């Protein structure tokens, strides 16, 4: 089956195919899962102690170069240049490994001398020669930024393996409990002001994280709301709720109170 697949899509690898007969799974034997995790990680460590931070967005790929633990050398200019040279090699490798395309911006550590910037630029060009995808690279700007565009051959590794998180909708952040507490208090003020004076008993269902905030720091604010509107608030948690979701309902009938 694998030979048929290779014959159709990658005939050049057919001579390299070997039948594995060992008992230990190949992915376990060669730690493939761990390598995949490293290939998808946001942080990539360099041997010198520096590291890269890779952020892939809809618009571009941003790669930030940092010295990390690599700070003990007296000649700082040499240290920064060596770290950037190592980073250039790793950036070129990561582009191939993750199959990232489109606009890519690399934020190298600032170098004072133009000759050092040129050395890093030339090193990047040299490392990119191994890349089958066509890549155009600009000189390092006065702000230490190198821009490049890499041909999109197919989907990136991250896109192939991952899909947007249904919880945060792909943007990687959720509102804090204090933010949700403030939003809930504003909503309660609006709702209680509209309800009849003799029917202001409200059931509030929230995520446990938000409830913790309400029971501690913001408890006095809720008591103040009850006094202001002559209302009675009852709270209940639901761990299945999204943290950014809450429900207000009539405490007697259970009917949800809409906007």
């Amino acid at each position: 089956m694998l030979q048929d697949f290779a014959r159709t899509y990658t005939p050049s690898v057919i001579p390299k195919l070997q039948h594995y007969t060992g008992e230990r799974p190949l992915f376990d034997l060669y730690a493939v899962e761990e390598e995949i995790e490293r290939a998808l990680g946001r942080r990539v460590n360099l041997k010198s102690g520096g590291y890269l931070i890779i952020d892939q967005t809809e618009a571009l790929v941003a790669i930030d170069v940092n010295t990390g633990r690599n700070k003990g050398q007296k000649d700082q200019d040499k240290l920064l240049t060596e770290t950037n040279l190592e980073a250039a090699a790793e950036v070129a490798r990561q582009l191939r490994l993750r199959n990232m395309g489109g606009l890519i911006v690399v934020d190298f550590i600032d170098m004072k001398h133009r000759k050092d910037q040129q050395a890093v630029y030339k090193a990047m060009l040299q490392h990119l020669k191994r890349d089958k995808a066509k890549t155009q690279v600009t000189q390092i700007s006065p702000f230490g930024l190198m821009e490049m565009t890499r041909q999109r051959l197919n989907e990136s590794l991250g896109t192939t393996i991952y899909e947007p998180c249904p919880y945060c909708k792909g943007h990687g952040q959720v509102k804090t409990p204090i933010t949700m507490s403030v939003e809930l208090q504003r909503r309660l003020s609006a709702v209680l002001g509209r309800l009849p004076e003799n029917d202001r008993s409200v059931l509030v269902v929230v995520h446990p994280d938000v409830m913790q905030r309400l029971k501690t720091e913001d408890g006095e604010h809720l008591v103040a709301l009850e006094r202001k509107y002559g209302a009675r608030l009852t709270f209940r948690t639901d761990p299945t709720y999204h943290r950014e979701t809450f429900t207000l309902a009539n405490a007697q009938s259970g009917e949800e109170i809409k906007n």
Side-chain angles (χ1 to χ4, degrees):
M1 181 183 294
L2 187 57
Q3 285 183 333
D4 293 338
F5 179 87
R7 193 173 293 110
T8 303
Y9 297 101
T10 54
S12 61
V13 306
I14 293 179
K16 301 178 183 179
L17 294 178
Q18 296 182 21
H19 182 215
Y20 175 70
T21 57
E23 295 183 0
R24 189 175 174 186
L26 277 172
F27 271 44
D28 181 39
L29 180 64
Y30 293 102
V32 176
E33 295 288 355
E34 289 83 350
E35 288 298 321
I36 292 174
E37 287 298 318
R38 277 196 285 269
L40 294 168
R42 183 169 177 259
R43 172 168 172 155
V44 179
N45 293 323
L46 303 175
K47 292 181 180 180
S48 64
Y51 60 92
L52 310 177
I53 295 294
I54 302 176
D55 287 313
Q56 189 165 4
T57 68
E58 289 287 337
L60 55 83
V61 176
I63 303 177
D64 186 31
V65 183
N66 298 274
T67 55
R69 300 189 312 272
N70 190 16
K71 297 178 181 178
Q73 192 169 308
K74 292 184 179 180
D75 188 343
Q76 288 297 307
D77 290 343
K78 183 178 180 182
L79 167 67
L80 299 182
T81 302
E82 289 178 350
T83 303
N84 282 334
L85 287 170
E86 184 183 9
E90 187 60 34
V91 166
R93 176 177 174 273
Q94 291 295 324
L95 293 181
R96 298 193 304 273
L97 180 63
R98 302 178 187 229
N99 197 26
M100 294 182 291
L103 177 61
I104 298 147
V105 179
V106 185
D107 185 5
F108 285 104
I109 306 167
D110 289 341
M111 294 172 285
K112 296 179 181 178
H113 307 295
R114 189 61 187 169
K115 63 180 180 63
D116 294 333
Q117 296 177 4
Q118 282 294 107
V120 173
Y121 171 71
K122 291 178 180 179
M124 180 65 81
L125 293 179
Q126 186 64 34
H127 294 305
L128 287 173
K129 287 182 178 180
R130 297 181 55 192
D131 199 339
K132 293 181 180 180
K134 185 178 180 181
T135 307
Q136 295 182 325
V137 186
T138 65
Q139 295 273 0
I140 297 177
S141 75
F143 299 104
L145 301 178
M146 174 185 286
E147 297 180 9
M148 61 179 78
T149 55
R150 184 175 184 269
Q151 180 185 12
R152 293 185 187 273
L153 297 178
N154 42 53
E155 289 186 342
S156 69
L157 181 62
T159 304
T160 303
I161 294 179
Y162 290 131
E163 63 181 14
C165 169
Y167 193 87
C168 68
K169 306 303 180 184
H171 61 73
Q173 295 177 319
V174 293
K175 293 179 180 178
T176 64
I178 186 173
T179 300
M180 291 310 303
S181 175
V182 172
E183 289 188 10
L184 174 58
Q185 291 173 55
R186 285 200 297 259
R187 174 78 184 284
L188 280 171
S189 294
V191 167
L192 293 174
R194 295 198 307 265
L195 292 176
E197 293 184 6
N198 61 346
D199 191 19
R200 289 180 175 174
S201 182
V202 177
L203 170 65
V204 184
V205 185
V206 297
H207 185 277
D209 290 349
V210 180
M211 176 64 85
Q212 182 61 31
R213 174 76 194 191
L214 296 174
K215 289 195 319 185
T216 53
E217 289 91 338
D218 295 343
E220 294 182 2
H221 300 299
L222 298 173
V223 172
L225 279 174
E226 287 182 310
R227 289 173 178 168
K228 179 179 179 180
Y229 293 100
R232 181 179 179 183
L233 302 177
T234 305
F235 291 86
R236 191 177 73 202
T237 62
D238 188 335
T240 66
Y241 268 38
H242 188 301
R243 185 195 281 176
E244 297 179 7
T245 301
F246 57 80
T247 301
L248 305 183
N250 184 292
Q252 304 301 323
S253 65
E255 182 181 354
E256 183 176 350
I257 301 173
K258 303 293 186 178
N259 289 336

